[in-house]
C-alpha cells in the first residue's frame, strides 16, 4: 500500500540512503534530489538491490530554488520532505564558513518556501547533538530540554540557525509541521552491505578511520586523548546504528502526515542512551570481528567534547521508536561494508 510521496533531499548520502530504503520498505514513494557533492550515483543501485524499487533520482543542487521548483512540479504530489542535504565536516566549516552558511542555510530556506507554495505538509530535519555542546555533567544523559550552547564550529552553528529558522517560520503561521531530529553519532551500514558510509579522502570520523585501519589502508588509528575525566580517559559518545536512525525518520514522517503531533514543531534526541568510550569501542570492534586495530593514543583533538550521550526517552515514548541493534552488530556491519568496498575496488 502506498503511503505518500516523500522528497528525500540529500538521499544519496550516508543517512539519506539508509532512510530512503526504510521509507520504501514502509510503503512510501521516494523522490531523491541530491547534487552528489558527497556521494555517487551507484548508491541508487544499492537502494534498488535492497528494496527492489529504484526511486526517482534527480541530480540537482538544492541551493537553486527555480530548478528545485521545476523538479517538484515535474514530480507532483510530494507529501513530506526529509532534509539531509548539508555539508557536515566540522574542520572544513572552520576554514570555509561561508561555504557552510550558504549551502546549509539557503537549502533550508528554499525548501520551506517551496513547501508553503506547493502545499507540502511536513519536514523532518536532520539536526545534531552538537547543539548541546559539552553539557554540564548534571545534564547527562541529555534530554531535549538541556540548554543549547554556543556552537563550536560554523557547521554546528548552521544546525542551530536552521532549527531557529524552522521554529520561526512555523510560529509565523507557515502551513506545515516539522520534526527536528537531533542525532548523536550515527555509525554502521546496512546489514546487506549494499549501502554504507563513503568518506571523501582521509576520514575525519572515528568509524571509517577505524575500519580503514583494520583493512590496512591506514597504518594506525590515533586515539585523541586518554586524559579526559572519563573512566578510561578517552571521550564518550552515543553511537547509534544508522538503520535504527533511518527508521526513526519513517515514524516521524508517519506522525506528521497522520497529524498525530500536537505541537507544530517537535524535537527528538536519537541515540541509544548508552555512552561508549573510544577505547571501549575499539575493544568491541576487535571482539565482534576478530580483527586487530593498530592504534596509538595521541594528544586531544581541538574542539572535541569530552562526553555526551542521549536520554532518548521522549523518542521512545512519543515516537514509539527505540534503538535496537547492538554495538557489536553495528560494528560488524561497518566492517562488512569496508570489505565490500575493497571487493568493489573503491577503498
Ligand atoms: N576519534 C579518535 N580518532 C579519530 C577520529 C575520532 O579518537 O581518528 C574520537 C574523537 O576524539 C571522538 C570520537 O572518536 O571522541 C568520535 O569522533 P567523530 O569525529 O567520529 O565524531 P564527533 O563526536 O566528533 O562528531 C560527530 C559528527 C559531527 C557532530 C558531532 C556532534 O561527526 O557532525 O558528532 O557532537 F557535530
Amino acid at each position: 500500500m502506498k503511503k505518500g510521496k516523500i522528497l528525500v533531499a540529500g538521499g544519496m548520502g550516508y543517512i539519506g540512503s539508509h532512510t530512503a530504503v526504510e521509507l520504501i520498505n514502509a510503503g512510501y514513494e521516494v523522490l531523491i534530489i541530491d547534487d552528489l557533492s558527497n556521494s555517487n550515483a551507484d548508491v541508487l543501485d544499492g537502494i534498488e538491490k535492497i528494496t527492489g524499487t529504484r526511486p526517482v533520482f534527480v541530480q540537482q543542487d538544492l541551493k537553486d530554488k527555480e530548478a528545485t521548483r521545476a523538479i517538484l512540479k515535474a514530480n507532483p504530489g510530494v507529501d513530506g520532505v526529509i532534509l539531509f542535504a548539508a555539508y557536515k565536516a566540522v574542520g572544513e566549516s572552520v576554514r570555509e564558513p561561508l561555504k557552510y552558511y550558504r549551502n546549509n542555510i539557503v537549502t533550508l530556506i528554499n525548501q520551506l518556501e517551496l513547501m508553503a507554495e506547493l502545499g507540502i505538509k511536513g519536514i523532518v530535519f536532520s539536526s545534531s547533538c552538537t547543539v548541546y555542546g559539552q553539557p554540564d555533567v548534571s545534564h547527562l544523559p541529555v534530554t531535549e530540554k538541556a540548554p543549547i550552547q554556543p556552537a563550536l564550529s560554523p557547521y554546528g552553528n548552521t544546525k542551530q540557525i536552521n532549527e531557529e529558522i524552522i521554529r520561526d517560520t512555523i510560529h509565523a503561521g507557515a502551513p506545515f509541521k516539522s520534526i527536528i531530529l537531533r542525532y548523536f553519532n550515527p555509525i554502521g551500514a546496512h546489514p546487506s552491505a549494499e549501502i554504507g558510509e563513503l568518506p571523501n579522502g582521509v576520514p575525519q570520523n572515528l568509524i571509517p578511520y577505524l575500519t580503514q585501519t583494520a583493512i590496512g589502508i591506514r597504518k594506525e588509528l590515533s586515539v585523541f586523548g586518554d586524559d579526559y575525566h572519563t573512566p578510561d580517559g578517552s571521550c564518550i559518545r552515543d553511537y547509534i546504528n544508522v538503520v535504527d536512525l533511518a527508521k526513526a525518520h519513517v515514524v516521524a514522517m508517519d506522525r506528521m502526515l497522520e497529524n498525530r503531533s500536537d505541537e507544530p514543531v517537535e524535537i527528538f534526541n536519537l541515540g541509544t542512551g548508552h555512552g561508549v568510550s573510544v577505547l571501549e569501542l575499539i575493544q568491541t570492534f576487535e571482539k565482534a570481528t576478530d580483527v586487530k586495530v593498530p592504534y596509538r593514543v595521541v594528544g586531544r583533538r581541538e574542539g572535541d567534547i569530552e562526553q555526551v550521550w542521549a536520554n532518548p526517552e521522549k523518542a521512545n515514548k512519543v515516537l514509539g521508536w527505540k534503538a535496537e541493534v547492538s554495538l557489536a552488530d553495528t560494528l560488524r556491519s561497518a566492517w562488512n561494508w569496508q570489505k565490500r568496498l575493497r571487493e568493489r575496488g573503491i577503498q
Side-chain angles (χ1 to χ4, degrees):
M1 190 196 68
K2 279 272 172 276
K3 274 178 150 183
K5 194 193 271 192
I6 308 301
L7 165 61
V8 185
M12 301 291 271
Y14 174 42
I15 305 173
S17 57
H18 288 82
T19 301
V21 164
E22 296 309 318
L23 286 166
I24 294 168
N25 286 344
Y28 282 105
E29 189 180 340
V30 167
L31 164 66
I32 295 176
I33 306 181
D34 194 309
D35 65 359
L36 300 183
S37 60
N38 192 20
S39 54
N40 74 62
D42 297 346
V43 171
L44 214 56
D45 298 334
I47 296 173
E48 185 177 5
K49 274 195 193 135
I50 298 169
T51 62
T53 302
R54 193 171 185 87
V56 175
F57 161 59
V58 184
Q59 183 175 356
Q60 176 58 52
D61 180 346
L62 290 143
K63 288 198 291 301
D64 185 336
K65 186 174 162 191
E66 308 312 317
T68 308
R69 179 192 286 113
I71 296 167
L72 289 169
K73 290 213 159 149
N75 295 274
V78 168
D79 299 287
V81 175
I82 307 185
L83 181 52
F84 295 104
Y87 293 150
K88 60 171 188 179
V90 176
E92 185 186 50
S93 80
V94 175
R95 292 189 300 275
E96 296 182 70
L98 292 180
K99 175 174 167 182
Y100 275 68
Y101 286 116
R102 177 179 293 277
N103 189 57
N104 294 6
I105 291 174
V106 172
T107 296
L108 174 70
I109 294 173
N110 285 349
Q111 241 4 276
L112 297 179
E113 287 175 347
L114 290 170
M115 286 175 71
E117 190 184 316
L118 300 173
I120 298 175
K121 300 181 205 99
I123 178 164
V124 175
F125 179 71
S126 297
S127 190
S128 163
C129 68
T130 193
V131 302
Y132 300 119
Q134 174 60 68
D136 191 83
V137 218
S138 65
H139 286 121
L140 284 173
V142 273
T143 70
E144 294 77 359
K145 295 200 172 103
I148 301 295
Q149 308 240 26
L152 292 170
S153 68
Y155 157 77
N157 207 19
T158 66
K159 292 296 173 193
Q160 295 194 6
I161 294 168
N162 279 356
E163 287 196 4
E164 286 166 8
I165 291 172
I166 291 171
R167 264 195 300 261
D168 290 348
T169 307
I170 290 178
H171 288 159
F176 47 77
K177 289 187 169 183
S178 180
I179 291 185
I180 292 170
L181 300 177
R182 292 181 179 154
Y183 312 152
F184 282 66
N185 286 56
I187 62 165
H190 194 270
S192 65
E194 295 293 350
I195 54 173
E197 189 172 7
L198 253 184
N200 249 338
V202 181
Q204 305 299 311
N205 294 116
L206 179 60
I207 300 306
Y209 205 105
L210 184 155
T211 56
Q212 288 194 5
T213 306
I215 211 161
I217 299 173
R218 315 267 160 217
K219 203 169 116 266
E220 65 183 8
L221 171 69
S222 299
V223 172
F224 296 138
D226 67 351
D227 56 351
Y228 285 98
H229 295 107
T230 58
D232 66 19
S234 63
C235 291
I236 293 177
R237 296 286 185 276
D238 187 334
Y239 295 96
I240 164 134
N241 179 279
V242 67
V243 176
D244 277 340
L245 185 74
K247 288 179 178 165
H249 295 74
V250 177
V251 290
M253 187 55 79
D254 291 345
R255 179 173 171 81
M256 270 192 316
L257 296 185
E258 290 164 13
N259 251 314
R260 279 184 277 124
S261 48
D262 305 326
E263 302 288 327
V265 183
E266 292 183 304
I267 298 180
F268 296 98
N269 283 345
L270 297 182
T272 65
H274 303 290
V276 173
S277 76
V278 177
L279 293 170
E280 281 171 341
L281 187 133
I282 296 171
Q283 282 164 16
T284 309
F285 178 90
E286 290 183 335
K287 243 201 207 147
T289 60
D290 227 2
V291 178
K292 278 266 162 246
V293 182
Y295 74 87
R296 191 158 55 98
V297 176
V298 300
R300 293 180 177 194
R301 179 171 72 174
E302 200 190 323
D304 254 342
I305 281 164
E306 179 175 272
Q307 43 184 328
V308 64
W309 67 99
N311 177 335
E313 267 171 34
K314 186 177 172 197
N316 298 164
K317 284 197 190 119
V318 179
L319 292 178
W321 168 91
K322 205 172 184 331
E324 279 169 352
V325 186
S326 70
L327 182 62
D329 283 346
T330 302
L331 292 171
R332 224 173 279 125
S333 73
W335 177 233
N336 289 337
W337 168 244
Q338 185 67 62
K339 288 191 287 184
R340 181 67 60 89
L341 287 176
R342 182 176 56 187
E343 281 162 27
R344 289 209 225 144
I346 299 173
Q347 273 170 1

